[in-house]
Amino acid sequence: MDVLIIGGNRYFGKRLITRLLDAGHRVTVFNRGSSPAPEGVVPLVADRNDEAALETALAGRTFDVVVDQVCYTPRQADIARRVFAGRTRRYVMTSTVEVYAYEDSATPVTEDVLDLAAQPVDLGLPWEDPAFLEEHYGEGKRQAEAVFAAAGTAFPWASVRVAHVLGGADDFTGRVAHYAERIRSGSPVAVPVVNRPATYVYVEEIAAFLAWAAVGTEFTGPVNAHSHGPLTTADICREIERLVGGRTVFRKVEVGEVSPFSFARAYAMDNSRAEGLGFRFSHSSEWLGTALAETLTASPAETPAGDATEVEV
């Protein structure tokens, strides 16, 4: 198959590209050219936010499927909906668990909890402002999905709602390092008073799922993607303790910033739809130690400090 990937030069996007190439697919990677294209792909360079430049870069090209790793806003989705009309027979958008940011459910949420038909879309918000986009990450993804779901989209589309991702020496978020540093030193780890479990996925597994979603199936609409076995902050810290030594000291806070991997809301996802379509997820207990060890044994250059809101590449 002829696959176009928008973005995706690092983390699980890099693994997705490798899987597709190894399976014999022709892969084109479209990005701004800020990093070199992986070996074996066809590179296309332009700014996806510039509709005219995107049209020019894609002139005369068609694809069996597009995998959009970096659609963060309804404006980007709106441009893509126009530009890719007649250029692809299917479109897969990488979305996020954070589309469920308004949920607080005692049971794992299914895809239909979010009614995309009722989701307001505001193209006029300052989506180009990095600070605004970071603060409204889940909202941007939710509105982007709603744009594709609206009447008039010229191609079948799917959105993969990715859980929190763990693993890899190239995990650039700094979240695992955040915990290891505090556990080693005995510094407090701030968590909500009521700290909810969340769903996670191993970096290799989400790459496998996206490859399957792109070329192994034809489903449409949203699908939740995560391993079985929700994890608590304590589960993750216990494994980090085993790997690096030290002791976790939790500090419960009523208000204020809490550590990554801690959640006051319950919005674990339900992956029944994905499994009903034919994909089989592992259990988090099968890979948690491996995933954390991969990240913790990376060099400092490979795991920069800082807390990214989400991982989408």
Side-chain angles (χ1 to χ4, degrees):
M1 294 179 69
D2 203 344
V3 183
L4 172 67
I5 298 177
I6 304 176
N9 261 10
R10 59 179 181 169
Y11 206 36
F12 60 81
K14 178 174 64 178
R15 291 164 172 82
L16 167 63
I17 291 169
T18 298
R19 286 175 180 271
L20 292 172
L21 290 172
D22 287 349
H25 299 288
R26 175 182 168 87
V27 179
T28 300
V29 174
F30 177 92
N31 57 33
R32 290 172 298 178
S34 56
S35 57
E39 186 177 349
V41 308
V42 177
L44 289 179
V45 177
D47 182 352
R48 69 164 303 154
N49 298 301
D50 183 334
E51 186 167 350
L54 185 55
E55 288 272 10
T56 299
L58 294 169
R61 298 175 185 266
T62 59
F63 304 92
D64 294 305
V65 61
V66 174
V67 182
D68 193 341
Q69 291 280 80
V70 289
C71 185
Y72 298 115
T73 74
R75 194 176 301 158
Q76 290 174 332
D78 191 49
I79 290 172
R81 201 166 80 129
R82 289 192 295 271
V83 170
F84 285 99
R87 286 194 170 99
T88 186
R89 64 177 186 83
R90 190 159 172 270
Y91 201 98
V92 179
M93 171 192 162
T94 302
S95 190
T96 173
V97 61
E98 295 304 324
V99 299
Y100 300 117
Y102 299 139
E103 300 300 324
D104 191 356
S105 172
T107 57
V109 295
T110 55
E111 293 84 356
D112 56 6
V113 164
L114 176 58
D115 182 0
L116 293 173
Q119 169 65 48
V121 172
D122 190 344
L123 301 177
L125 291 173
W127 296 112
E128 72 286 345
D129 179 355
F132 179 87
L133 183 56
E134 181 176 0
E135 186 177 351
H136 297 85
Y137 176 79
E139 181 66 24
K141 287 287 190 179
R142 194 162 43 245
Q143 290 196 27
E145 284 195 42
V147 169
F148 287 120
T153 298
F155 42 76
W157 69 278
S159 60
V160 177
R161 294 173 179 170
V162 179
H164 306 286
V165 183
L166 289 173
D170 53 340
D171 177 355
F172 58 88
T173 67
R175 292 168 171 176
V176 173
H178 167 97
Y179 276 95
E181 187 179 300
R182 281 157 179 75
I183 290 169
R184 285 192 187 102
S185 65
S187 302
V189 173
V191 295
V193 173
V194 179
N195 192 13
R196 310 290 189 182
T199 37
Y200 291 81
V201 67
Y202 182 38
V203 63
E204 299 291 347
E205 187 162 43
I206 192 58
F209 183 85
L210 284 168
W212 173 82
V215 300
T217 182
E218 295 287 333
F219 76 88
T220 59
V223 65
N224 295 335
H226 62 88
S227 304
H228 296 289
L231 297 169
T232 65
T233 314
D235 293 330
I236 295 171
C237 288
R238 191 179 305 114
E239 188 61 30
I240 294 174
E241 284 180 3
R242 187 185 69 80
L243 292 166
V244 306
R247 184 173 68 91
T248 307
V249 179
F250 288 120
R251 177 170 60 87
K252 295 183 178 181
V253 295
E254 294 279 359
V255 294
E257 187 173 352
V258 296
S259 298
F261 306 141
S262 58
F263 305 96
R265 292 178 294 107
Y267 61 124
M269 294 191 293
D270 182 319
N271 63 13
S272 297
R273 183 179 188 223
E275 294 221 317
L277 289 165
F279 192 88
R280 293 293 175 262
F281 286 100
S282 66
H283 193 280
S284 60
S285 61
E286 298 173 42
W287 53 257
L288 179 60
T290 298
L292 294 173
E294 287 172 351
T295 303
L296 289 169
T297 55
S299 70
E302 292 173 308
T303 54
D307 176 26
T309 303
E310 272 299 315
V311 178
E312 288 291 353
V313 291

